[in-house]
Amino acid sequence: MASNVPASDGRAGFRKHPGARFLHGPHRTIGGVEAWLVWGLCTVFVIWLFSIQTGYAVVSPEIQRTAALTVAQIGLAGSIYTWAFALCQFFSGALLDRFGSRPLLTVAVAFVTAGAFLYAQTDSMGTLVAAQVVLAIGSSFGFVGAGYIGGQWFPAARYGLMFGLVQSLASLGSAFGQPAISWQLGHVGWQQLLNGFGAAGVLLIVLFALLVRNPSPGPEQLARATSAKRPPLVSSIFRDLGACFRNRNVVLSAALAGVSFGSMLAMGVLWGPRVMEARGAQSSLAAVLTAVSWLGLAVGAPLFNLLSDHWNNRRIPAVVGVLLQAAAVTLLIYLPTETNSVSVVTMFTVGLFAGAHMLGFTVAGESVPGALVGSSAAIVNGVCFIIGGVLQAVPGRLLPDSPDLADYGHALLMMPILLVLGALAGLFLKETATSRG
């Protein structure tokens, strides 16, 4: 069913607009079959690139041996990816707002594909770093691009839910990605595996080029695209980013989402398993805890948006979810004794309540004009990964060489404190659900 979104929202959805042809084709129905097809392809892109990112942890020992690298060099290459991703992330949303999903997402898929093939050819530190940078450029459009598609191809009221579904499917991919890649490495070499990812990318490039389009423009997009006085690209990007950073709701949403997702990432990928090992758990439990945390996020990401829509309230579910996440993280860190079954449940709840961070994307997207949705999502996602990186790096600096449980308790205290501060920031959010109906 087509949906005519009000002009103030700035989203696409107007029928037979006279300027529709500038977006490469006839009118396309908002929320229709083509919308689901485009959104589905973009979600597959996110799952695919997440699998490549997850695979780095599995294949990096093989790359290290083949290319005669050190553990420090492997770690540095991973850090370079994070830095490049964070830098590119802030610009990817603004570029999507300026040019739309076609052809930017096709180019992004091509970058990730090239990165996968470069991985497969790694024989030196230089090749590995080049692969990381190329991958980061393409990946910066992945999650934000899928959210952008949900905001442009579906009615505004479904923006948060569609974004939550993307996170849910990506989390499922992360939960099952490492075991699947480990199993595949038992049957094929790491170069063959990465070339297989690259071959899948070639297929995705073709599908994106043929099928991914922009919907017909609303008045705001049409005016921006056809204006003879369009500002230069670089200045327009900084203008859009500046407009988002001046919006109080965007900044507060980024803070809330950043501490929530950052804590989940740090606990689920690194510190949760280490804390359990300090309690005497077997190291084999680490992989289980990582998978369980991502499964929790897969449930929580769409759940919080559904609850928010049902109660017609964004602020309270976000604040309560982050506070419950703080409680779950505190339990995981400070319980004196804990069985494996309790730790699994606790890690699941850490991921589950981290689903509240998706409301940060929803509030930010609803707080800006439709022409800035991509920029707002990129800012929130960029802050999520920056805080996630900080919460992985800083506690490591505070820990001794052979930490015990008390050492982890001191080093990780910042995490529940930041979560409480993030919840307090959420209390100052201006409610957006009521105004969107």
Side-chain angles (χ1 to χ4, degrees):
M1 179 183 296
S3 173
N4 292 338
V5 182
S8 60
D9 180 58
R11 307 265 176 103
F14 286 77
R15 297 187 140 201
K16 297 182 181 178
H17 198 286
R21 285 180 296 175
F22 90 96
L23 286 177
H24 307 286
H27 172 78
R28 292 172 171 87
T29 304
I30 302 302
V33 173
E34 189 174 10
W36 283 102
L37 176 63
V38 173
W39 179 85
L41 269 176
C42 292
T43 303
V44 169
F45 173 37
V46 174
I47 296 171
W48 170 68
L49 71 86
F50 267 49
S51 297
I52 297 176
Q53 294 169 349
T54 302
Y56 181 71
V58 180
V59 304
S60 59
E62 302 291 335
I63 294 176
Q64 180 184 338
R65 283 191 289 270
T66 302
L69 302 176
T70 65
V71 174
Q73 287 176 311
I74 292 293
L76 177 60
S79 298
I80 288 173
Y81 172 87
T82 303
W83 298 332
F85 178 88
L87 176 63
C88 295
Q89 182 69 97
F90 289 104
F91 296 97
S92 62
L95 288 170
L96 285 166
D97 287 331
R98 174 72 178 256
F99 297 108
S101 54
R102 175 183 172 88
L104 279 180
L105 291 182
T106 304
V107 174
V109 176
F111 266 93
V112 178
T113 301
F117 282 127
L118 274 174
Y119 261 144
Q121 306 303 316
T122 298
D123 58 3
S124 67
M125 183 62 176
T127 309
L128 182 57
V129 168
Q132 295 281 33
V133 173
V134 172
L135 267 174
I137 293 171
S139 298
S140 67
F141 288 88
F143 187 66
V144 167
Y148 174 87
I149 289 294
Q152 297 297 318
W153 273 101
F154 291 89
R158 279 205 248 166
Y159 172 68
L161 176 60
M162 302 308 294
F163 220 157
L165 289 174
V166 173
Q167 178 65 77
S168 179
L169 293 170
S171 299
L172 287 174
S174 296
F176 296 108
Q178 282 194 0
I181 292 171
S182 297
W183 177 83
Q184 287 175 322
L185 280 177
H187 297 79
V188 299
W190 68 271
Q191 292 98 334
Q192 290 175 292
L193 178 63
L194 291 173
N195 280 325
F197 276 115
V202 172
L203 176 60
L204 276 178
I205 292 171
V206 174
L207 292 175
F208 267 70
L210 292 176
L211 300 175
V212 173
R213 298 289 187 273
N214 298 309
S216 299
E220 186 173 351
Q221 287 90 347
L222 185 63
R224 285 164 62 94
T226 59
S227 173
K229 298 181 180 180
R230 295 174 73 189
L233 176 60
V234 175
S235 62
S236 69
I237 288 175
F238 282 102
R239 180 201 62 193
D240 291 350
L241 289 173
C244 289
F245 275 116
R246 287 192 299 271
N247 187 303
R248 185 187 72 175
N249 258 19
V250 173
V251 174
L252 292 174
S253 296
L256 180 143
V259 297
S260 178
F261 180 80
S263 297
M264 185 271 160
L265 189 66
M267 289 301 295
V269 173
L270 183 59
W271 298 122
R274 297 295 180 272
V275 169
M276 291 309 302
E277 289 174 5
R279 285 199 172 93
Q282 298 295 320
S283 58
S284 59
L285 183 63
V288 174
L289 291 176
T290 299
V292 164
S293 65
W294 287 109
L295 288 174
L297 183 58
V299 175
L303 176 63
F304 274 90
N305 271 296
L306 287 171
L307 292 174
S308 173
D309 289 340
H310 179 71
W311 293 327
N312 199 32
N313 189 292
R314 306 286 187 233
R315 183 170 58 242
I316 299 304
V319 170
V320 171
V322 173
L323 287 175
L324 290 173
Q325 185 185 359
V329 169
T330 302
L331 285 174
L332 193 66
I333 297 172
Y334 295 108
L335 278 181
T337 59
E338 194 169 10
T339 63
N340 289 352
S341 59
V342 173
S343 69
V344 169
V345 173
T346 307
M347 281 296 289
F348 180 85
T349 58
V350 169
L352 175 69
F353 296 131
H357 88 276
M358 291 306 302
L359 290 175
F361 290 95
T362 305
V363 172
E366 291 176 342
S367 301
V368 298
L372 297 178
V373 167
S375 297
S376 70
I379 288 171
V380 174
N381 202 45
V383 171
C384 285
F385 276 89
I386 289 172
I387 294 180
V390 169
L391 290 178
Q392 290 182 70
V394 173
R397 297 283 185 178
L398 302 176
L399 289 169
D401 292 335
S402 300
D404 58 20
L405 192 57
D407 294 322
Y408 281 111
H410 294 141
L412 299 177
L413 176 62
M414 67 179 68
M415 212 168 291
I417 291 176
L418 283 176
L419 285 166
V420 171
L421 292 176
L424 290 176
L427 290 175
F428 293 94
L429 286 170
K430 182 180 178 181
E431 184 58 62
T432 59
T434 302
S435 63
R436 294 283 166 149

